Amino acid sequence: MPVPLQFGEWRPDLALIDNQFAADVDNVFPAANSYKPIPSLQPFTGGTLPGLISVTAARKTTGEWAIYGGTTTKLYQFVFFTGWTDISRTVGGPYNVPAGEVWSFAPFGKYLYAVATGNAMQRIDVDGGGNAIDAPGSPPMAHNVKQLGDFLVLGGLDSNRRKLRWCSIDDPSAWVPGINLCDEQEFPDGGPVQGVTGDTIGFVLQDRAIRSMQFLPSDTAFVFNFSRILTDKGSVSEFGFISVGGIAYFLAEDGFYAINPQGQLSPIGQDKVNEWFLANSDIGRRNLVQCFAANKPYIVWPYHSNSATPLYDKIIIYDWSQQKWGKGSFSAFIWAMMATISLDLDTTGSEAGDALLDSTAMSLDSFAYVGGRPIACAVDASGTLASLTGPPMPATLETAEVHLVPGQRAYVSEVYPLIDGAVNALVTAGTRERLQDDVVWGNPTPLEITGSASLLSSSRLHRFRVQTLGGEPWTHAEGVQVEAQPDGEA
Amino acid sequence: MVDIFDTDGNRIAAIPLSEKQLDQLHSGLAVNVQWHTPQLLRSGGPSGNFSLRLIEDKFVTTEPDQARQCASMLAMQRGGD
């Protein structure tokens, strides 16, 4: 009697007895009716630089992309094969980014701007190259920078964390309030400004409030309209928010939310992952949870799973197209959404995807030479910049716990995982006689030539775990089919 | 801060110009300075604008009253200097 058990939606906050929800998943993306593998981190050649706390990508006027990073004392540009080149300012001495703070980057025209609490805003000429300089116009020191329309907005000023200031219209070298629409806004409540995000309409995320920020063309009295759209709830993390398609996603004290500019709040983690996340993340560093939006419809929050881990060691993933969750296990100093940088035309061909100039592999006007394809990147535990493009990570998927034969014990003779590929996957049964007992896990059992694992088990309650090996390709994991029969009532 | 002159060559105010505005002026373009009473001085304060040109190494405006009001607003921000 084959019994199908799906790896259903991962909702660890729900009761997981006799249903089709997945009890646990790791290193998988959620999909419509299955899970997909998460690639491993693939190091960039020459990408090692210990101490990186921030990375970003910026686009030149010509359309090519460049990668930048920062440590607590320096700013760098990354060049294939050459590695990281110091582009720190030459006047003013080394930077001094405090512990727990990172560089916040924002492009504006041909420049990339970088801020970190306690440091003068830096301006990097993406087109012209060269070293960073203290941004002209005496902008205030701030925690966060974001480009919104024709303005560069500084959030969480050093002088007053409840304030933000924006530059003159279309002029990030002008920061005098009152001139060409430059001004600042102090918020009377809601706590410190964690940062600004958004597209046409901005969101100001405070730790206990969220405000929308809308430009008022031709209104020189206010310039921007600020409306508090959420009270007593905000972003608990200084870096844990992002906007996609005009919707802001953020981590609050009690879990994950999405909000639109009209204030419509969606508790995207409620009865799904909130309780699990709060129980399985380091409360002491929840203010450091990061966030980035991947190319596919995923919002990713890297976090620390416990107080002992020095690095971000986990990611939790929200698929906003399907409102489903997944998670992964990676050790990284920092995560960011980047872009592939352009390939040059004069390498010897050892560059991945590149070819000799006289090769016919790619035409010289190939899109591949421009770069710019979005990729999720991290600085791994060795300090190496790496992209999420490697072979699949070892994945774990676990079914809910079920009474395979209601009212009786069930004898399981084999389990057939519904995974294409992953020929060396292992299947393990977890059993217990009563809901009051602890679950006992058996030995991981390999697949046989039939595609089934011959694990033998007798119990009233069963759950099944499938583990794939790292590097082994597969596409979809749907569930397992369990061969079970009644095994008596005693 | 740069000195602003009227068309008779009289110095009327000093206001900050950004790197971008200076580039535009030095390339022969006129620059429009739009000013308003900022949030921290907000009490129904005035706003306005004036244009600038670089003429014989002097930043010249044809709306000196506006430039004076702008400079006054900036002085209030700095604490009345």
Side-chain angles (χ1 to χ4, degrees):
Chain A
M1 181 179 65
V3 180
L5 295 177
Q6 288 183 340
F7 297 134
E9 185 180 353
W10 179 56
R11 296 180 65 167
D13 290 359
L14 295 183
L16 291 165
I17 306 292
D18 286 332
N19 56 44
Q20 296 288 329
F21 294 110
D24 189 25
V25 298
D26 197 39
N27 290 332
V28 289
F29 290 121
N33 67 345
S34 65
Y35 287 91
K36 296 178 180 178
I38 295 183
S40 55
L41 289 171
Q42 184 81 24
F44 282 62
T45 306
T48 302
L49 179 66
L52 274 172
I53 57 170
S54 305
V55 288
T56 192
R59 198 163 201 188
K60 298 179 181 178
T61 305
T62 54
E64 297 162 6
W65 289 80
I67 290 176
Y68 298 91
T71 65
T72 56
T73 57
K74 292 178 184 291
L75 289 171
Y76 293 87
Q77 181 175 1
F78 177 73
V79 179
F80 251 134
F81 290 101
T82 305
W84 293 96
T85 303
D86 186 354
I87 58 160
S88 304
R89 65 183 177 190
T90 54
V91 177
Y95 311 115
N96 184 17
V97 180
E101 177 75 353
V102 301
W103 290 99
S104 170
F105 295 99
F108 197 110
K110 68 172 188 171
Y111 295 116
L112 178 68
Y113 293 86
V115 303
T117 297
N119 293 271
M121 182 163 77
Q122 297 298 293
R123 188 177 80 177
I124 298 166
D125 188 339
V126 179
D127 279 357
N131 286 76
I133 60 169
D134 287 1
S138 303
M141 293 183 188
H143 168 68
N144 172 271
V145 61
K146 170 73 179 170
Q147 175 256 328
L148 272 185
D150 286 332
F151 297 89
L152 202 59
V153 182
L154 294 174
L157 305 187
D158 282 17
S159 59
N160 183 343
R161 281 295 301 270
R162 287 188 292 106
K163 264 188 179 180
L164 54 78
R165 186 184 296 189
W166 56 93
C167 68
S168 292
I169 187 165
D170 197 29
D171 191 354
S173 64
W175 291 91
V176 179
I179 300 296
N180 287 334
L181 304 186
C182 171
D183 212 330
E184 60 184 22
Q185 177 73 45
E186 179 179 2
F187 302 110
D189 60 7
V193 174
Q194 306 284 40
V196 176
T197 187
D199 305 306
T200 308
I201 300 176
F203 296 91
V204 181
L205 290 106
Q206 298 172 259
D207 76 344
R208 288 291 188 280
I210 294 180
R211 288 174 158 89
S212 65
M213 177 179 182
Q214 185 164 18
F215 179 50
L216 302 171
S218 76
D219 184 334
T220 57
F222 294 100
V223 187
F224 281 95
N225 177 54
F226 293 93
S227 301
R228 190 169 58 191
I229 55 175
L230 187 59
T231 305
D232 297 332
K233 199 184 292 292
S235 175
V236 67
S237 170
E238 298 174 39
F239 320 107
F241 53 85
I242 194 125
S243 72
V244 177
I247 296 175
Y249 297 86
F250 63 98
L251 171 63
E253 283 281 359
D254 60 342
F256 298 94
Y257 291 87
I259 193 167
N260 70 13
Q262 289 72 44
Q264 187 176 4
L265 186 67
S266 300
I268 58 175
Q270 181 63 29
D271 288 331
K272 291 192 173 184
V273 299
N274 281 355
E275 289 178 29
W276 179 91
F277 177 80
L278 296 176
N280 289 279
S281 58
D282 180 12
I283 190 172
R285 286 182 287 181
R286 216 165 276 155
N287 63 319
L288 302 179
V289 172
Q290 296 181 2
C291 184
F292 66 94
N295 186 30
K296 292 179 179 176
Y298 303 130
I299 310 290
V300 182
W301 282 273
Y303 64 97
H304 304 89
S305 67
N306 60 73
S307 59
T309 177
L311 308 181
Y312 293 95
D313 61 334
K314 299 284 181 183
I315 58 174
I316 189 164
I317 304 157
Y318 178 64
D319 180 337
W320 52 264
S321 72
Q322 302 185 74
Q323 297 85 48
K324 291 181 177 177
W325 293 84
K327 66 180 172 74
S329 299
F330 294 86
S331 282
F333 284 99
I334 196 90
W335 284 83
M337 198 58 199
M338 310 280 278
T340 56
I341 55 179
S342 54
L343 300 175
D344 55 23
L345 294 172
D346 56 0
T347 58
T348 59
S350 59
E351 198 171 298
D354 201 358
L356 292 169
L357 191 56
D358 56 359
S359 162
T360 57
M362 286 186 288
S363 63
L364 296 182
D365 59 355
S366 168
F367 185 58
Y369 287 109
V370 178
R373 291 181 305 282
I375 45 172
C377 288
V379 176
D380 69 15
S382 66
T384 301
L385 182 64
S387 61
L388 209 58
T389 55
M393 290 285 288
T396 299
L397 301 113
E398 197 177 304
T399 69
E401 189 170 41
V402 293
H403 294 87
L404 289 169
V405 181
Q408 295 187 43
R409 302 172 62 84
Y411 177 75
V412 172
S413 54
E414 64 178 28
V415 178
Y416 182 75
L418 298 172
I419 302 182
D420 53 345
V423 69
N424 290 306
L426 299 170
V427 183
T428 311
T431 59
R432 55 180 170 172
E433 291 300 320
R434 305 178 301 171
L435 289 170
Q436 292 70 31
D437 299 335
D438 292 331
V439 175
V440 177
W441 287 96
N443 294 320
T445 306
L447 305 184
E448 298 182 345
I449 196 169
T450 58
S452 295
S454 292
L455 53 81
L456 306 178
S457 167
S458 176
S459 183
R460 290 181 184 276
L461 286 147
H462 280 88
R463 62 176 73 181
F464 299 94
R465 177 187 292 161
V466 176
Q467 295 165 291
T468 67
L469 294 186
E472 202 166 72
W474 56 279
T475 311
H476 290 280
E478 292 182 51
V480 295
Q481 282 197 340
V482 182
E483 190 62 40
Q485 54 190 312
D487 199 25
E489 298 181 2
Chain B
M1 303 285 273
V2 297
D3 289 332
I4 306 296
F5 297 84
D6 64 16
T7 51
D8 294 330
N10 302 309
R11 180 187 177 281
I12 53 173
I15 63 167
L17 292 178
S18 73
E19 179 187 74
K20 181 179 175 182
Q21 289 171 319
L22 289 169
D23 285 347
Q24 288 175 335
L25 286 164
H26 283 292
S27 64
L29 297 173
V31 161
N32 187 60
V33 178
Q34 186 175 19
W35 63 276
H36 70 279
T37 305
Q39 303 284 343
L40 75 166
L41 299 176
R42 181 54 46 80
S43 56
S47 60
N49 65 83
F50 57 95
S51 63
L52 286 175
R53 273 193 181 278
L54 183 60
I55 301 173
E56 294 177 351
D57 294 334
K58 287 185 175 177
F59 298 104
V60 176
T61 179
T62 55
E63 299 111 318
D65 288 345
Q66 282 285 325
R68 282 193 195 95
Q69 286 189 64
C70 176
S72 172
M73 177 275 293
L74 292 169
M76 284 177 66
Q77 257 190 86
R78 291 193 301 270
D81 57 324

